[in-house]
Amino acid sequence: MTTPRDLLIVAMDIAGSRPVGPGDLSLALAGAELIDLLKTPTIRLDGGRIVPGHLPLPADRLLVEAAASLIMEEPYELVSDWLWRRGDSLAGTYMAALEADGLVVRQGGHPFRGGQRVLVVSPSRHQAVERWESGEPVLVSLAEGLGIHGGTGDPPEVGDYAVATVLAAVNDALLELEAERQRRGIEQAAFDNIWRGF
């Protein structure tokens, strides 16, 4: 399993302080992909930009797709730009992959509209939960950004500078997305108030 898949399993399996929206999850999954590509190392960071490497690609199909979508020419892409570009609807892609692998099934609902997606008991789920319960810093940091908190209370320490850079960019992107949601909510409320006045 990969960090993005483990993150999705944790997001489905562990209750957070608020429901995890697909936009937030997609940004975090894009960050998780970058971290796994750094570990391969299919990429490296240089001044906040993603520089492609020339080593063999990872074994996971979705990470291969991620690597194939890298910008290969200078000045290369900023981590923050990658998160928004690659993170567009990425949660649906990973959910479909888990479903295709038999790790997620649909329960209830109308036969033609599907139902709620639930995790099945599997070695992959067990591995993701084990990684979560062990307090693995990358997984815990990504999950905490989504409002899913571990039991320790202390923020995990990440020693690798490149990984820490990606995690910081994910947190910034999540804050930006939340600020945009709030701005739209305020605008909608103001618009509704105007119409109530007529």
Side-chain angles (χ1 to χ4, degrees):
M1 292 295 281
T2 63
T3 301
R5 288 175 185 254
D6 286 350
L7 178 61
L8 180 54
I9 289 170
V10 166
M12 293 179 72
D13 214 18
I14 312 291
S17 59
R18 58 185 162 82
V20 179
D24 300 81
L25 187 55
S26 291
L27 287 170
L29 290 170
E33 284 184 334
L34 272 186
I35 289 167
D36 279 3
L37 291 174
L38 281 166
K39 291 179 183 175
T40 313
T42 305
I43 62 167
R44 65 183 174 83
L45 295 189
D46 183 8
R49 294 188 180 272
I50 304 164
V51 179
H54 303 289
L55 294 172
L57 292 173
D60 181 78
R61 175 183 63 82
L62 289 174
L63 286 180
V64 170
E65 284 179 20
S69 72
L70 292 169
I71 293 178
M72 306 300 277
E73 302 88 28
E74 292 188 34
Y76 302 118
E77 190 169 27
L78 290 168
V79 170
S80 57
D81 292 341
W82 158 272
L83 295 176
W84 291 106
R85 182 175 62 83
R86 176 67 181 165
D88 185 29
S89 304
L90 196 56
T93 301
Y94 271 92
M95 184 64 77
L98 288 188
E99 207 168 348
D101 291 345
L103 302 175
V104 170
V105 295
R106 293 177 188 259
Q107 284 188 346
H110 190 278
F112 298 108
R113 285 182 255 142
Q116 180 182 8
R117 290 180 174 111
V118 295
L119 291 163
V120 300
V121 176
S122 66
S124 298
R125 182 180 183 183
H126 177 73
Q127 175 190 320
V129 171
E130 203 171 68
R131 186 175 173 190
W132 167 256
E133 289 176 347
S134 73
E136 197 275 318
V138 168
L139 186 61
V140 170
S141 294
L142 289 166
E144 286 186 346
L146 297 172
I148 305 165
H149 300 288
T152 62
D154 297 325
E157 288 188 29
V158 177
D160 185 305
Y161 176 77
V163 171
T165 299
V166 172
L167 290 172
V170 169
N171 282 333
D172 289 347
L174 290 170
L175 290 172
E176 189 178 332
L177 184 59
E178 182 57 29
E180 178 62 19
R181 272 196 207 102
Q182 289 178 5
R183 185 187 65 76
R184 287 184 182 180
I186 291 167
E187 287 176 356
Q188 185 62 49
F191 181 76
D192 292 344
N193 284 336
I194 290 169
W195 280 104
R196 278 193 208 104
F198 286 102

